[in-house]
Amino acid sequence: MSDRTLDAVIVGAGFAGLCMLHRLRGLGFTARVFEAGSGVGGTWFWNRYPGARCDVESLEYSYQFDDALQQEWEWTERYASQPEILRYLNHVADRYDLRRDITLRTRVASAIFDETSDRWQVRTDDGAEVEARFVVMATGCLSSTNTPSIPGRETFTGAMLHTGNWPHEPVAFAGKRVAVIGTGSSGIQAIPLIAAQASHLYVFQRTANFSVPAQNRPLAAAEQLAVKRDYAALRTRGGQMPFGFDTRSTEVSALQVSDAERRAEYEARWAEGGLPFLGSFADMILDARANATAADFIREKIRGLVRDPATAEKLMPRGVVGCKRLCSDTDYFETFNRANVTLVDIAETPIQAITATGVRTASAEYAVDCIVFATGFDAMTGALTRVDIRGKGGRALRDKWAEGPRTYLGLSSAGFPNFFIITGPGSPSVLSNMVPSIEQHANWIAACLDWMRARGLSRIEAAPDAEDAWVAHVNEVADATLYPSCNSWYLGANIPGKPRVFMPYLGFPAYVQKCDEVVAGGYEGFVVG
Ligand code: FAD
Ligand code: NAP
């Protein structure tokens, strides 16, 4: 191996890149992380909008690779805010001395596989090149922002912001007229806080979303201590749940209990707060009739929370609870009771243009000083296809994936040897608590490299038939659920022209078991040499 050849290039320094670097270094591999941002943290570096916080409890939305780390870190809230999670990730970078192998402000532009040497030539946007035996894409499922190309956008004279690329200095909304476009998780978190400052807030809603109260609160010391006394128990419990965190999921069908029992369950989950609402009944996301009981319950809550019946009606989601990611909020629906907040239903009166001074819909023009795009991401594939990745025969990954992503286990794609993706399409990723999913992938990849080194192997690649079978299985699992029934970003439906393919894999425990079986079978489904 030449001196300038690294064992691995890791792209991205969020939860995934940091963990991967730590794992590889621990096994004596050389690795370098390239990160486009000027700091580590990924999602939590970029998404600095007011109200940004996790929707999986902090005690679970955190690394478990080192018990000392999970014992010593003190979370202050049930759902940590963005600044706190960013502090945590910076602490991790320092504690494990990761920064010396991280190059910031550097975007990977291309990665080309050289079949004669079994090496990747990685080029960064500053023109530098580095050679590596392996490439690990830790580029994130939700890191490639989507700003719709609304006519006239470039003519707007006020400030334009995207929640996923928020300025580092505080944004002052006081005395300003603000438009927020988008009511997904980001919009729903930001809207109450922007409304509290702005002179007037216009919320442009295309599709009403289901949201449950987060019931966020400070974490009591005793509560945190109780978890830390037996952290492993919480981690094990979470790992056994379909979404990889403790949703207190039951085996009971919503259709097998009485109306009173069902209501009591929903009320209890509503009061408890957050995404465990989805664990109320086993068939919530499998059976339309079961799901409708939850949808009715949430609509009734909205009716009770929003004083103006016409506004309440517009805020009521019509689809399937959880089909688009369930949102978790603090005072979202209540915000529409404020005199300085107007809901604009753009399903009824679509946005026609952005003008120099505001937003024009089919029925009115709204003069604003600032537009906030809470319009989401080119999810799961965007960050991967924006890099020119070429495998065997010079084939581009973006060409191979033109009809939708194809992977084996979400970790690897046939024709791209020694190339791994952390939480790639076809893995539980965004349908799970992502930190354990990230760690599971980083552990799997590190163990794989170690296994290859022990056997003097230089190449590993997904076998095409194993990949075909896995893609079919991912679809089969999704098709047995209600997930394909709505226009979600899980399906790529939020990006015009993106192929409609369900990308994540549902079922964290079954997935982990499959990955373990593949290893036990001598990396079954992979071609090694
Ligand atoms: P990211 O954190 O996205 O990091 C990827 C990094 O790669 C980025 O910093 C990016 O700049 C860099 N990068 C990408 N392409 C290149 C390139 N070509 N060259 C160099 N660098 C590149 N998940 C949960 O499970 N629970 C939650 O509560 C939760 N809350 C979320 C809240 C928000 C606002 C968002 C947007 C997402 C949330 N997620 C949540 C999902 C979240 O993305 C993951 O939990 C996790 O942070 C992903 O970590 P990552 O390292 O895989 O990717
Ligand atoms: P999102 O869920 O994709 O929501 C985007 C919103 O913008 C939707 O309301 C969408 O409407 C709207 N929109 C998109 N294009 C539009 C257009 N051309 N015109 C008008 N409206 C448009 O994005 P997000 O809110 O950033 O969340 C993405 C994911 O990140 C979440 O699902 C979640 O996984 C994660 N996240 C989590 C948290 C958390 O609570 N911890 C917070 C933020 C993000 P339609 O529905 O009609 O497409």
Side-chain angles (χ1 to χ4, degrees):
M1 191 194 308
S2 85
D3 282 349
R4 55 182 208 95
T5 300
L6 292 161
D7 288 315
V9 158
I10 300 165
V11 191
F15 266 105
L18 296 179
C19 176
M20 191 73 251
L21 175 61
H22 178 60
R23 277 292 181 231
L24 289 181
R25 279 210 328 216
L27 289 168
F29 291 109
T30 56
R32 175 141 295 274
V33 175
F34 292 104
E35 165 57 56
S38 60
V40 303
T43 289
W44 305 102
F45 172 85
W46 297 106
N47 291 263
R48 296 167 187 248
Y49 61 84
R53 58 178 71 254
C54 53
D55 59 6
V56 169
E57 292 189 37
S58 318
L59 286 161
E60 292 189 87
Y61 187 69
S62 48
Y63 291 123
Q64 53 192 293
F65 65 74
D66 183 353
D67 190 49
L69 172 68
Q70 63 180 7
Q71 290 296 333
E72 77 200 11
W73 185 264
E74 294 286 320
W75 294 106
T76 65
E77 291 178 271
R78 182 182 185 195
Y79 297 104
S81 64
Q82 172 272 329
E84 185 163 330
I85 303 173
L86 186 58
R87 265 200 308 283
Y88 169 76
L89 287 166
N90 274 287
H91 169 72
V92 168
D94 292 331
R95 193 188 192 287
Y96 300 97
D97 188 22
L98 299 178
R99 293 187 201 273
R100 63 187 157 88
D101 288 323
I102 301 175
T103 306
L104 298 172
R105 298 181 189 82
T106 307
R107 183 170 287 281
V108 168
S110 67
I112 317 283
F113 186 65
D114 176 7
E115 292 180 56
T116 52
S117 66
D118 279 348
R119 304 254 191 277
W120 285 90
Q121 306 292 334
V122 177
R123 185 184 281 270
T124 51
D125 59 0
D126 54 3
E129 262 194 34
V130 58
E131 198 176 86
R133 296 180 55 223
F134 296 90
V135 166
V136 181
M137 300 301 281
T139 43
C141 295
L142 296 160
S143 61
S144 190
T145 55
N146 164 46
T147 307
S149 46
I150 299 171
R153 204 176 76 196
E154 64 295 343
T155 65
F156 184 62
T157 51
M160 272 195 290
L161 305 168
H162 192 293
T163 50
N165 187 8
W166 199 260
H168 287 204
E169 52 292 344
V171 179
F173 290 109
K176 302 251 170 72
R177 298 158 303 171
V178 182
V180 172
I181 303 178
T183 53
S185 301
S186 301
I188 280 178
Q189 285 187 331
I191 283 163
L193 287 146
I194 297 177
Q197 286 185 49
S199 63
H200 202 94
L201 173 64
Y202 298 96
V203 176
F204 292 84
Q205 171 192 275
R206 188 166 68 180
T207 312
N209 242 319
F210 289 103
S211 186
V212 294
Q215 313 288 19
N216 188 34
R217 52 177 160 73
L219 256 187
E223 189 182 353
Q224 186 151 195
L225 198 63
V227 167
K228 289 183 176 182
R229 278 211 188 94
D230 192 4
Y231 224 131
L234 177 64
R235 300 298 194 179
T236 304
R237 224 165 37 243
Q240 289 165 346
M241 298 274 161
F243 299 110
F245 66 105
D246 190 7
T247 43
R248 273 76 78 196
S249 297
T250 67
E251 295 296 313
V252 180
S253 159
L255 305 173
Q256 283 168 349
V257 296
S258 69
D259 289 353
E261 284 169 320
R262 196 183 311 113
R263 165 168 287 280
E265 183 67 22
Y266 289 145
E267 287 287 4
R269 300 260 175 174
W270 186 269
E272 182 194 350
L275 301 185
F277 187 86
L278 289 173
S280 309
F281 294 103
D283 46 0
M284 172 87 90
I285 201 69
L286 302 176
D287 184 301
R289 283 192 309 138
N291 193 281
T293 64
D296 286 343
F297 175 83
I298 297 180
R299 282 193 286 265
E300 191 187 311
K301 287 289 183 193
I302 297 171
R303 212 170 278 124
L305 289 169
V306 180
R307 282 198 292 270
D308 173 41
T311 304
E313 193 57 33
K314 286 182 182 163
L315 285 166
M316 281 186 207
R318 300 292 160 204
V320 165
V321 180
C323 186
K324 290 185 177 180
R325 189 183 175 92
L326 180 63
C327 300
S328 177
D329 73 88
T330 301
D331 295 337
Y332 174 66
F333 294 112
E334 295 87 330
T335 296
F336 293 91
N337 293 330
R338 297 177 64 107
N340 70 332
V341 176
T342 304
L343 179 67
V344 183
D345 182 350
I346 53 172
E348 213 171 76
T349 54
I351 296 178
Q352 290 183 332
I354 291 176
T355 65
T357 52
V359 181
R360 194 176 70 226
T361 69
S363 65
E365 179 146 2
Y366 300 88
V368 292
D369 306 299
C370 175
I371 301 176
V372 173
F373 288 95
T375 43
F377 302 87
D378 182 356
M380 309 214 58
T381 54
L384 295 164
T385 54
R386 282 181 197 187
V387 181
D388 186 13
I389 298 162
R390 290 178 188 266
K392 287 197 311 198
R395 185 162 193 215
L397 187 73
R398 59 170 80 110
D399 291 341
K400 178 181 170 185
W401 287 8
E403 303 302 318
R406 299 187 69 78
T407 70
Y408 180 41
L409 303 175
L411 273 164
S412 161
S413 194
F416 296 81
N418 299 355
F419 176 86
F420 296 105
I421 308 163
I422 297 189
T423 64
S427 73
S429 58
V430 293
L431 282 186
S432 67
N433 174 4
M434 286 200 66
V435 182
S437 279
I438 283 167
E439 284 197 68
Q440 187 249 342
H441 270 185
N443 292 345
W444 193 98
I445 294 165
C448 174
L449 267 57
D450 196 30
W451 180 83
M452 288 178 69
R453 178 173 59 186
R455 285 158 187 77
L457 300 168
S458 64
R459 203 189 262 210
I460 183 162
E461 174 187 357
D465 57 343
E467 178 168 293
D468 290 346
W470 183 252
V471 170
H473 175 62
V474 171
N475 282 316
E476 193 180 72
V477 171
D479 287 344
T481 72
L482 301 171
Y483 281 113
S485 68
C486 67
N487 291 323
S488 69
W489 59 256
Y490 298 139
L491 279 160
N494 62 327
I495 303 294
K498 191 166 171 172
R500 195 183 170 97
V501 174
F502 192 76
M503 294 183 283
Y505 178 72
L506 177 64
F508 181 77
Y511 176 81
V512 172
Q513 192 185 336
K514 168 72 182 176
C515 288
D516 291 347
E517 284 168 9
V518 164
V519 173
Y523 289 87
E524 203 177 355
F526 286 93
V527 181
V528 290

